[in-house]
Structure formats: structure tokens, C-alpha cells
Amino acid sequence: MAVGQGVVTTLKPIKGVRIGVASAGIKQVVRPDVVLFEMVEQAAVAGVFTLNAFCAAPVHVAKEHLAKSSADHASQRYLLINTGNANAGTGEQGMLDANLCCDEAAKRLNVSASSVMPFSTGVIGEILPSAKIVNVLDDAIANFQEDNWLQAAAGIMTTDTRVKGHSVSFDYNNETVSITGISKGSGMIKPNMATMLGFVATDAKIAAPLLQQLLTQASDKSFNRISVDGDTSTNDSCMLIATAQSNVEISEDDQALLALFKSQLDELMLDIALQIVRDGEGATKLVKIQCDKAASVQEALDVAYTVAHSPLVKTALFASDANWGRILAAVGRSGVKDLIVDDLQIYLNDVCIVQQGARAQSYTEEQGAAVMAQQEITIRIVLNRGDVNDSVWTTDLSHEYISINADYRS
Amino acid sequence: MAVGQGVVTTLKPIKGVRIGVASAGIKQVVRPDVVLFEMVEQAAVAGVFTLNAFCAAPVHVAKEHLAKSSADHASQRYLLINTGNANAGTGEQGMLDANLCCDEAAKRLNVSASSVMPFSTGVIGEILPSAKIVNVLDDAIANFQEDNWLQAAAGIMTTDTRVKGHSVSFDYNNETVSITGISKGSGMIKPNMATMLGFVATDAKIAAPLLQQLLTQASDKSFNRISVDGDTSTNDSCMLIATAQSNVEISEDDQALLALFKSQLDELMLDIALQIVRDGEGATKLVKIQCDKAASVQEALDVAYTVAHSPLVKTALFASDANWGRILAAVGRSGVKDLIVDDLQIYLNDVCIVQQGARAQSYTEEQGAAVMAQQEITIRIVLNRGDVNDSVWTTDLSHEYISINADYRS
């Protein structure tokens, strides 16, 4: 199940990025499961990573290689991604395996090992079948081409039912700047700094420090605002590449251009983040939880995530039941200090359902049912305590979520 | 579904407490749904109540009447409980209805309104059918008897599939001290100060301040350590009555007797709290999450509740899948500062499943499967950061939970 249509059929290549895809047979079904990104020498690259204390071996190695290759001004750099095995909870052996894959790729590509950053996703706690990955490195290299983004999006999927990606572009001084990104993720989704996996590239020229800042800010408004089940993965990573192959440089020197680029990047990142929510395990609805007029961002997020994670709210959404009592109970336990319940309002889309601590006078069950019949719904909680508005996106909780997670060893 | 057998068939009467049960037809099915407790004049009474900011009208009124009747040294006092309607999210009208029920009961019982404490449980957000309750007050009064605890336990049920109650007693100086308690609850269970509803009485003599202290401490080790779905109810309340009808007085003057009484009360409260978890909506397993060697109680509870609320851990438990990777990922996101993953161990019952950040060398899938085949399981996380041990109890997450909550307007 997944919400809406929105199937991605084309993704725009980004000059300076080539991608190779191969099938290593990590899972029993043979399918593309190894993806290798190559960036041109001039490319800058930034990354954000999971804050889970049990972060996976490849996350440790990718962070280290990102820092080292940036400091060394490495020439071509590579992202080596496998699905089917997360190489998480694998201790010392996991580090050896992640490094082995980088070493073997580096040997074939004639670069140093720190020029290769590894990413893994899939089952936790199984030893990475590194020999299988090494076996198909030559296949992936032979497959290098710029127009392989859709294949890459398919090659990083786990329980995803759809490929996820988006392209945007804008013109500036008769030059076109393009951004393309892909992501994967469906369950264990409450990213903390980044999604399960996201890879975004632009042909603009952007210096590494600014690139990192742009990625962090865009993640905070996209991947860090979504939750399917509240479970933060051990492998969340998102990388942003700027290949410098167009003639446009984004920098602090041109604030208008910077703002334009930022808005495009933010739009793209939110788009591929919401594709993850739409494809959330068992999802039948995409639900925006918007908390308005909060005293602080933390307060707004506490309220929004408490509602987003409430199993009772989520099962009511699955049942298309406008059960405002459950929303109200979740807001009431969200930990907002000295909350005056008579002061707040709750809306389903534009329909006011709660005011003065009770069902709104004007509200009818028919109004609630009409909103609930839709696939995309906004629950808006107006606290009237300050001037901060913030939002998170989530799904309902369905039988299919239980089936997927009671059957799948992830 | 519910875990284990453990059906309650007898509950010991407590001298000084009489109970009347009646059927008001609050829900469509006619069943006992109004329960009236009468306490003798000498009885002391204590209460703990939900911390949900949206607490229900009866919670406001019960707190106020408890304080006023204690200050006034009221003679007989009464607890008036209805199921089928929570009188929560009902604003000003809800307060009028709760007070009306107390007034009408007080008139018939010839006491002041503040001698009657109201409790409601059931659907949130519907106006309380107070006339139906008032109509059967005479029936409830006519039904007063000491041996009505089982009927009362049935009369306060909502989605519960079992009555919940327990009795304990001990001898002291040739006198017997007894304690009997009942509870209700199945979903929206993460009590904060108390369970959905609990009513406990003893025939010992205990002054009100000490009684309140004993109740608060016992709640903290029982009702405040359980969670079915992490959703804190708007109506949680637990009352403890001491009727002073036995010749035993519990006070600070006899520390050995006080400790004995405390251990009996704690045992009873934990028993009726765990009956709620065993009957958790859709539960097929009772799971104790024990966090040992934490640096603080807060840290132990953060870890334990993060694991207890993880949908991925709960669905794995439903599937009897010893998916330790999901437990590890939940511990990793629980917010423990500077957690060194190599230092901790995770056990399923006595089987070590994780050490040094990876699957324990000695662990086999057969060991995990053998534990998972049981209905009652302990997940023990040893942090090795301090000397605090604490535990919470929870259930798995099953298809039946979804069915119950997608169908039931609560």
C-alpha cells in the first residue's frame, strides 16, 4: 500500500556524476543491490548522519572518509551503497567489512580508500556478505553512466514499494542549474539528522562549508520532520554533491541566487522526504501534523510528534474516523508546561473540531468524515502560546504495517 | 486476546466498604455500568490522578471533593463510577454533568455533594448521559453489600476482556489485615500517576497523609510502570481506602508493621496493574523491560520506555521473532547521553543476545526462539553506567490491536 499515485518515471542526470548499478545477490532474489556513485574531481560533498548511538559501521567509515578526503583534496570520490544488509550491530567485524569494500573499490578505481564512502541498508545484525559486493564492483564500474538515477533509486530500495526521486532546475544568467535526488525508506523512519538514505547532486559550484550548511538546513525542514513509526534507524545518511559542472557558483556573495538555490533544494528534499512517508509501511494516508502559535520550536515538535506517534490517533486515521478525542488526549500528554486547554483549537484541514476544551459547537460528524475520506490530511493544533509554527508528516497505522513487520527480519 | 489464564473468581470483602451496582444503559448493550462505593465514617481515602492536561471533568471534581470532604471530616463518603462514557473533552457541560451526578447521589444518601467523588471511563468527547445515571442511583443504593467486588470489577470494564482484581491478607497480633483492589484498562494505557481506574481498600486504620504517601509510592512501582500503547488517558485515577474496621493501625510508630503492609500493598497494586497489561488490547505477550545499571531512574525509564513503545520491537514480539537488532536500534535512539555501545549487554530472559555492539558470540537463534515461544518474556538491558535498576511492563503489537482501535470510537 502507498498513498497517492506519484510514481517517478524520469530523473534528470547531473553533469559530473556517473552511476553504476550491479546485482550482487545479497538477498535471495537477484535484483540490483549495489550502487556506485562517481563524482568529478571538482565536486564538493556534504553529509548528515543518524544520531542513533548504535550507528552502523558504514556510518562511522563514511564520516571518517568524508572528512579525510575533503582535507586531502581528493580527486574523484565515490559513494558505494548496498541494500539487503545494514552492516549494523556487527561490531568489529562490521568495521572490517566496511573498510574492505572501500579498499577493494579504491584499488579498482585507482584512488585511496578514503575516497570511497560506504552506505548500507537492510537487515540489522547480520554479517555483511562483503565478498559478494566485491565480486560485482567491476560490473558496477563497467555500468557507469550519467543517466542511471532511476536505476540507482531502484537499487537502494528495501521494503520500499516505489522508487523515490525528484529533479528540479532553474535558469540563471542563461545557464541552467539542476538538482536531482533519490531516497529510500519505508519503515524504521524517524530520521534524526537525515533519512534512511538520500543522495542528492547538483551541477552548481558550491564550496564544501556552504554545501554542508545548505544540506543541514534542508534536512531539518524535510527528513528531520517525518516519521512513520518513530523508530530512528542505525543507518540514516544523506549526501549532497555539488559537481561544479555548470557555470553557476552559489555563494554568500550573491544572496538572491543563494536564496533561489536554497528554495529549490528545500523543495526537492521535502519532496523526496514525503515520498518516503507516502510509501510508509502499510500507509493509506499522508498526514501533516501542524502545530501553530507555539512558544518554541521544541514545544511545537513535542506536540506534533506526540500526535504523530500516538497508536490511537494512527489507528483512527486508518479507520477514517475523525476521533478528535484521541488527538486531544495526545496533545494533553505531550508535556507542554501549564497548557490551558480552553485556549487551544484543533482543526482537520479547515474544519475546527475542538475549541474551549470540547468539540467545537459548529462541528458535525459529516464535516469530519469528509476530511477523513481524503488520502492527504492536515491536523492543525493551534496552541495560542507564542508565534512559532512547525510541522511534521506521518502515516496511519494499518494491518499491513503489522504484517510487514511481523514477517520481515529487518 | 489476553496473556495467560489468571481469571479472577473471588475477591475478599473489606469490612467498612459496601458496593452497589446498577445498569443504566449508557451503552446500547444493557450491562452493569454504574458502581457506587460506600465507605464507613471512620475511613480515610487517598487518590492519585492523571497528569494529562486534558483531564476529564470527573477528575477535576473528584480531586476537589476529596480535598473538601477530607478537610470537613465528612461522615460516609462515596465513589460514583460509570463506564461507557468518559465525560472528557466535554468542556463546561462536562463539569455540570459531573456535579449533577454527585448532587443527586448526595441528596439520596443524605450527605453533602462533596462527599461523593465521581469517576468516568469510556468514549471521549460525548456528552455524559447524566439522566440515565441519576435514574439508577436508587437501584445502586438498594444493591449495597460488602461482597460485591467482582460485580464492581465487571461494572467498570470498557474494552477489557477480563475482570481485574486481587486480594491479599496477613495476620498481625491475632488480627487479620486484608486488602482488596480492582482495576480496569486495556488500551490508552500509559498511566501517569495512576491507571485508567483502580479502587483499592483495606480494613486497616491508616491516617490520610500516610495513606496518600503509601498510594503514591505503590502507584509509582505499579501503575506508573506499565504501558500498552504509550497513550496516557484523560481519566486515570486510583483511590485507596482505609476503613479502620480491623484493630490494626498502620503508622510510622511501628516500622516493621508499616513495611509489612507496604509490601502487601505493593504486591497487590503490581498484580492488578499487570492484569491490565495482560489484557492489553490485542496482547499475546506480557513483556518486562528491565534496564539495569543505569546512571539514574530517568535514564533507566527512558531506555525501557523507548524499547517498550517501539512499534518494530512490539511487532517482532508479536511474531515471536528474537529480532535483537530492533531492540538495539531502540536503545540507541533512547537519548542516553554519551552511550558507549560496546559497554552494554542485552538479554532475553537469561540468554545474552548482544554484547560489544554486536550479537553475542554464544548466542544462537534456537536460544532466542525458545524464549520468544513463551507468553511472558523479560528483555533486560544492562547499561553498565551506574547502579540504578528499573523496569516497565508492556505488550506486543498485534493485528487485533489495530482491529480494536480502528473499529472502536473511544
Side-chain angles (χ1 to χ4, degrees):
Chain A
M1 234 177 299
V3 181
Q5 302 304 319
V7 174
V8 179
T9 52
T10 54
L11 291 170
K12 196 176 177 201
I14 299 295
K15 206 172 169 218
V17 171
R18 295 195 306 164
I19 306 171
V21 177
S23 298
I26 296 171
K27 288 187 138 183
Q28 274 139 345
V29 182
V30 176
R31 44 156 282 200
D33 52 11
V34 169
V35 177
L36 190 61
F37 276 71
E38 180 190 59
M39 308 168 231
V40 285
E41 190 168 348
Q42 298 87 338
V45 58
V48 286
F49 300 92
T50 184
L51 291 186
N52 193 308
F54 270 106
C55 77
V59 174
H60 286 291
V61 176
K63 279 180 180 174
E64 188 193 315
H65 285 191
L66 173 60
K68 184 158 170 31
S69 64
S70 299
D72 291 352
H73 303 285
S75 53
Q76 279 98 343
R77 289 190 282 180
Y78 298 86
L79 310 179
L80 174 58
I81 309 144
N82 74 272
T83 183
N85 184 307
N87 193 9
T90 46
E92 195 50 45
Q93 182 63 43
M95 294 296 288
L96 293 173
D97 285 321
N99 277 308
L100 174 74
C101 292
C102 293
D103 289 346
E104 291 294 324
K107 219 184 288 173
R108 287 161 176 76
L109 296 160
N110 202 23
V111 294
S112 66
S114 62
S115 292
V116 183
M117 286 155 257
F119 302 86
S120 297
T121 181
V123 60
I124 294 179
E126 304 287 332
I127 296 300
L128 186 75
S130 48
K132 287 186 177 177
I133 295 170
V134 171
N135 274 343
V136 298
L137 286 172
D138 287 331
D139 293 355
I141 293 165
N143 184 242
F144 271 149
Q145 47 190 310
E146 284 196 350
D147 198 8
N148 249 349
W149 282 88
L150 266 180
Q151 290 75 3
I156 62 175
M157 288 163 65
T158 47
T159 57
D160 307 62
T161 69
R162 296 173 170 178
V163 298
K164 300 174 180 68
H166 190 50
S167 295
V168 295
S169 55
F170 63 92
D171 291 331
Y172 185 81
N173 280 355
N174 299 321
E175 279 277 341
T176 300
V177 173
S178 299
I179 317 176
T180 290
I182 59 173
S183 67
K184 64 116 341 210
S186 185
M188 201 177 260
I189 297 292
K190 196 210 162 193
N192 194 343
M193 289 309 290
T195 181
M196 278 292 280
L197 290 178
F199 302 100
V200 182
T202 176
D203 48 14
K205 180 176 182 184
I206 310 176
L210 178 60
L211 194 68
Q212 182 66 46
Q213 195 182 310
L214 289 168
L215 175 61
T216 301
Q217 289 172 353
S219 295
D220 263 345
K221 287 187 262 180
S222 55
F223 296 126
N224 287 348
R225 289 292 184 274
I226 65 172
S227 178
V228 171
D229 48 18
D231 271 310
T232 302
S233 154
T234 50
N235 290 56
D236 292 345
S237 305
C238 182
M239 306 298 288
L240 174 60
I241 301 162
T243 64
Q245 301 302 296
S246 81
N247 289 317
V248 177
E249 176 165 6
I250 311 294
S251 78
E252 299 280 358
D253 295 342
D254 185 340
Q255 288 291 326
L257 176 59
L258 176 58
L260 178 59
F261 182 85
K262 241 171 116 152
S263 75
Q264 296 288 308
L265 178 67
D266 288 353
E267 180 198 316
L268 179 132
M269 297 265 289
L270 185 58
D271 190 285
I272 64 175
L274 293 190
Q275 288 183 42
I276 289 177
V277 186
R278 283 198 180 85
D279 195 25
E281 287 172 348
T284 72
K285 291 198 169 62
L286 171 67
V287 187
K288 182 180 185 181
I289 317 276
Q290 185 176 337
C291 181
D292 286 354
K293 299 193 180 172
S296 66
V297 171
Q298 194 55 54
E299 184 171 293
L301 294 181
D302 285 348
V303 169
Y305 276 123
T306 303
V307 175
H309 293 152
S310 161
L312 290 173
V313 172
K314 291 171 96 84
T315 47
L317 285 163
F318 171 53
S320 295
D321 174 11
N323 194 319
W324 56 273
R326 294 184 185 174
I327 302 171
L328 175 149
V331 172
R333 72 172 167 91
S334 63
V336 174
K337 227 180 147 209
D338 305 320
L339 180 66
I340 298 167
V341 299
D342 283 358
D343 285 355
L344 63 78
Q345 292 99 36
I346 302 177
Y347 293 81
L348 280 181
N349 289 355
D350 293 329
V351 177
C352 182
I353 54 172
V354 171
Q355 62 186 7
Q356 292 183 301
R359 173 160 42 190
Q361 295 277 339
S362 57
Y363 175 70
T364 64
E365 292 276 331
E366 291 66 36
Q367 291 177 318
V371 175
M372 278 293 170
Q374 298 170 35
Q375 285 202 323
E376 307 207 354
I377 294 167
T378 298
I379 297 174
R380 187 157 64 93
I381 300 125
V382 186
L383 292 183
N384 292 308
R385 290 165 56 92
D387 56 8
V388 175
N389 303 339
D390 216 320
S391 302
V392 306
W393 285 264
T394 192
T395 59
D396 54 338
L397 174 59
S398 68
H399 282 293
E400 197 180 326
Y401 180 90
I402 308 288
S403 296
I404 292 168
N405 286 298
D407 298 344
Y408 176 68
R409 169 64 75 99
S410 68
Chain B
M1 233 176 298
V3 182
Q5 302 304 316
V7 174
V8 179
T9 53
T10 54
L11 291 170
K12 199 179 176 199
I14 299 295
K15 210 176 166 214
V17 171
R18 296 195 306 164
I19 306 171
V21 177
S23 298
I26 296 171
K27 289 186 137 184
Q28 273 139 347
V29 182
V30 176
R31 44 158 282 202
D33 52 11
V34 169
V35 177
L36 189 62
F37 276 71
E38 179 189 60
M39 308 168 229
V40 285
E41 189 167 346
Q42 298 88 342
V45 58
V48 287
F49 300 92
T50 184
L51 292 187
N52 193 307
F54 270 105
C55 76
V59 174
H60 286 290
V61 177
K63 279 180 179 173
E64 187 193 316
H65 286 190
L66 173 60
K68 180 153 171 36
S69 63
S70 299
D72 291 351
H73 303 286
S75 54
Q76 281 96 342
R77 289 191 280 181
Y78 298 85
L79 310 178
L80 173 58
I81 310 144
N82 73 272
T83 183
N85 184 306
N87 193 9
T90 45
E92 194 52 43
Q93 181 64 41
M95 294 296 287
L96 293 174
D97 285 321
N99 277 309
L100 174 73
C101 291
C102 293
D103 289 346
E104 291 293 325
K107 218 183 289 174
R108 286 162 177 77
L109 296 159
N110 201 23
V111 294
S112 65
S114 62
S115 292
V116 183
M117 287 155 255
F119 302 87
S120 297
T121 181
V123 60
I124 295 179
E126 304 287 333
I127 295 300
L128 185 74
S130 48
K132 287 186 177 176
I133 295 170
V134 171
N135 273 343
V136 298
L137 286 172
D138 287 330
D139 294 355
I141 293 165
N143 184 243
F144 272 149
Q145 46 190 310
E146 284 195 348
D147 198 7
N148 250 348
W149 283 88
L150 266 180
Q151 290 74 3
I156 62 175
M157 288 164 66
T158 50
T159 57
D160 308 61
T161 70
R162 295 172 171 179
V163 297
K164 300 175 179 72
H166 190 50
S167 295
V168 295
S169 55
F170 64 92
D171 290 331
Y172 184 81
N173 279 355
N174 298 320
E175 279 277 342
T176 300
V177 173
S178 299
I179 317 176
T180 290
I182 59 172
S183 66
K184 63 116 342 209
S186 186
M188 201 178 259
I189 297 292
K190 194 209 166 196
N192 194 343
M193 288 311 288
T195 179
M196 278 292 278
L197 290 178
F199 302 98
V200 182
T202 176
D203 48 13
K205 179 176 182 183
I206 310 176
L210 178 59
L211 194 68
Q212 181 66 46
Q213 195 182 308
L214 289 168
L215 174 62
T216 301
Q217 288 173 353
S219 295
D220 263 346
K221 287 188 261 180
S222 55
F223 296 125
N224 288 347
R225 289 293 183 275
I226 66 172
S227 179
V228 170
D229 48 18
D231 271 310
T232 302
S233 153
T234 49
N235 291 55
D236 292 346
S237 305
C238 182
M239 306 299 288
L240 174 60
I241 301 162
T243 63
Q245 301 301 296
S246 81
N247 289 316
V248 178
E249 176 164 6
I250 311 295
S251 77
E252 299 280 359
D253 296 342
D254 186 338
Q255 287 292 324
L257 176 58
L258 176 58
L260 178 60
F261 181 84
K262 244 172 113 151
S263 75
Q264 295 288 306
L265 177 67
D266 288 352
E267 180 199 315
L268 178 133
M269 297 264 291
L270 184 59
D271 189 284
I272 64 175
L274 294 189
Q275 288 183 44
I276 290 178
V277 185
R278 284 198 179 86
D279 194 23
E281 287 173 347
T284 73
K285 291 199 169 61
L286 171 67
V287 187
K288 182 179 185 180
I289 317 277
Q290 183 175 340
C291 182
D292 286 353
K293 299 192 181 174
S296 67
V297 171
Q298 194 54 53
E299 183 171 292
L301 293 182
D302 284 348
V303 169
Y305 275 122
T306 304
V307 175
H309 293 153
S310 161
L312 291 173
V313 172
K314 290 170 96 83
T315 47
L317 286 163
F318 172 52
S320 295
D321 173 12
N323 194 317
W324 56 272
R326 295 185 184 174
I327 302 171
L328 176 148
V331 172
R333 72 171 167 92
S334 63
V336 174
K337 228 183 140 180
D338 305 321
L339 181 66
I340 298 166
V341 298
D342 283 357
D343 285 354
L344 64 81
Q345 292 100 35
I346 302 177
Y347 293 81
L348 279 182
N349 288 355
D350 293 331
V351 177
C352 183
I353 55 172
V354 171
Q355 61 187 7
Q356 293 182 302
R359 174 161 42 192
Q361 295 277 339
S362 56
Y363 176 71
T364 64
E365 292 275 332
E366 290 68 33
Q367 290 177 318
V371 175
M372 278 292 170
Q374 299 170 36
Q375 286 202 323
E376 306 206 356
I377 294 168
T378 297
I379 298 174
R380 186 157 63 93
I381 300 126
V382 186
L383 292 183
N384 291 309
R385 290 164 57 92
D387 56 9
V388 174
N389 303 337
D390 217 319
S391 303
V392 305
W393 285 264
T394 191
T395 60
D396 55 337
L397 175 59
S398 68
H399 282 293
E400 198 181 326
Y401 180 89
I402 308 287
S403 296
I404 292 168
N405 286 298
D407 297 345
Y408 176 69
R409 169 64 75 98
S410 68

